[in-house]
Amino acid sequence: MADVRTVLVPDGLDGERVDAAVSRLFGLSRTRAADLAVAGQVVVDGRPVPKSERLVAGSMLEVALPQAETVPRVSPRGEPVPGMRIVYDDHDIVVVDKPAGVAAHPSVGWDGPDVVGGLAAAGFRISTSGAPERQGIVSRLDAGTSGLMVVAKSEVAYSRLKQAFRGRSVDKTYHTLVQGLPDPVVGTVEAPIGRHPGHDYKFAVRKSGKHSVTHYEVIEAFRHASLLAIHLETGRTHQIRVHMAALRHPCVGDPLYGADPGLAARVGLDRQWLHAVGLGFEHPTTGQYVHFESPYPEDLQHALDVVAAS
């Protein structure tokens, strides 16, 4: 008897081969994942798919795992998340200010706190389709990135917000502190992003990658770094970090993408200086435009003060 697992394909696996994605999601070897696809045990949006097909984010992925190979389900632990602030809440949505070190949702390989579990512990009821561990998640922030996230509480809100993010009608504003001074001080990076060929959890500008557009503007320039406002047209995994590194101005505190660890140590940072400061969209049920803002957390403000004083 098989155990059928159903998940929505996460943004980070958009464009990934079926066998590779199933392997990552369910902890199987890639060979075993390929065998399941060949046997017709991998279904996407109601259709069995071959092992080499490329997945699209948001698609419904169903995998029939034989009982002997069943892996533990990743589910919200319902644990409080210290420092997570509720910015707004109504019948359909909840907007949170996520601290750094917190994932959007539980996943294989992550054993830290997450937004979904934090909301469950706080008594929020999320009733949307998709995998239980991703209930209500329409867009994510990296675990090391702080700031605003919206979570859908109802099915109608989930559907409409997913469409809004896909249609690029959501206003997403980030601030980041980067090394050096970009030239020009106002610009756009339009470069495709795909998985780094040599690293599982790293991305890079690649010709075969997904279309990605980042707009930036220098807010203030300092001796060793610059504070930028970032507006995203697309929402690829690590997009800001990859595009800033491509400009040779990596986010301060981001050694994965080439930042100077010495500078991070001097300003007291143990994560990238990147914060989702603004989030605006049409409310999924009222149609009214809503906008939310988040102040810098203490670690980022301290680092900025040190840079400004140097």
Side-chain angles (χ1 to χ4, degrees):
M1 184 176 178
D3 178 20
V4 178
R5 301 294 179 84
T6 303
V7 299
L8 289 178
V9 176
D11 293 342
L13 293 182
D14 187 45
E16 190 71 79
R17 281 174 54 112
V18 163
D19 53 359
V22 169
S23 171
R24 289 168 60 85
L25 284 169
F26 300 104
L28 305 175
S29 71
R30 186 157 175 174
T31 299
R32 185 65 186 118
D35 289 343
L36 289 174
V38 171
Q41 301 302 304
V42 180
V43 175
V44 174
D45 292 335
R47 174 180 60 88
V49 292
K51 63 182 182 181
S52 60
E53 180 157 325
R54 301 285 176 173
L55 292 174
V56 176
S59 298
M60 188 69 72
L61 173 67
E62 299 174 69
V63 179
L65 296 172
Q67 287 286 356
E69 299 180 21
T70 296
V71 295
R73 290 183 184 271
V74 178
S75 59
R77 293 182 292 180
E79 294 183 359
V81 175
M84 188 173 78
R85 184 170 63 96
I86 304 301
V87 177
Y88 176 83
D89 173 45
D90 65 22
H91 178 74
D92 295 292
I93 63 173
V94 56
V95 177
V96 303
D97 195 346
K98 184 185 82 67
V102 177
H105 56 72
S107 60
V108 175
W110 174 259
D111 59 2
D114 62 86
V115 171
V116 173
L119 290 175
F124 286 87
R125 292 192 62 185
I126 308 297
S127 180
T128 65
S129 62
E133 67 269 22
R134 295 182 175 85
Q135 283 287 293
I137 299 297
V138 292
S139 181
R140 299 178 299 169
L141 293 178
D142 297 341
T145 300
S146 52
L148 296 168
M149 279 182 57
V150 58
V151 179
K153 295 169 66 177
S154 67
E155 188 62 46
V156 65
Y158 180 81
S159 176
R160 291 176 181 173
L161 283 173
K162 286 293 285 187
Q163 185 58 43
F165 276 97
R166 288 175 183 168
R168 304 177 188 176
S169 62
V170 177
D171 298 321
K172 299 171 288 185
T173 305
Y174 298 77
H175 284 182
T176 183
L177 189 69
V178 302
Q179 295 180 190
L181 176 63
D183 182 17
V185 294
V186 178
T188 295
V189 183
E190 186 170 359
I193 292 176
R195 290 192 176 276
H196 194 289
H199 301 268
D200 284 341
Y201 300 105
K202 185 176 180 180
F203 292 77
V205 171
R206 305 192 68 193
K207 289 183 179 179
S208 60
K210 294 289 185 180
H211 178 68
S212 308
V213 181
T214 301
H215 305 285
Y216 72 88
E217 179 178 357
V218 173
I219 299 173
E220 190 169 2
F222 306 102
R223 183 178 179 184
H224 301 294
S226 303
L227 181 64
L228 274 58
I230 303 284
H231 296 276
L232 296 181
E233 275 195 30
T234 54
R236 309 304 178 199
T237 301
H238 295 186
Q239 179 173 321
I240 295 172
R241 300 164 66 188
V242 171
H243 276 174
M244 292 303 102
L247 291 181
R248 298 188 178 181
H249 296 285
C251 302
V252 173
D254 193 7
L256 180 65
Y257 289 102
D260 177 10
L263 177 58
R266 289 196 298 276
V267 300
L269 272 183
D270 57 6
R271 55 110 166 187
Q272 65 266 16
W273 205 115
L274 180 59
H275 186 65
V277 297
L279 182 64
F281 51 88
E282 285 190 2
H283 191 283
T285 55
T286 69
Q288 293 184 324
Y289 184 81
V290 292
H291 185 266
F292 308 96
E293 295 184 353
S294 168
Y296 300 154
E298 190 174 312
D299 62 335
L300 299 191
Q301 185 62 59
H302 173 74
L304 183 60
D305 291 343
V306 172
V307 166
S310 63

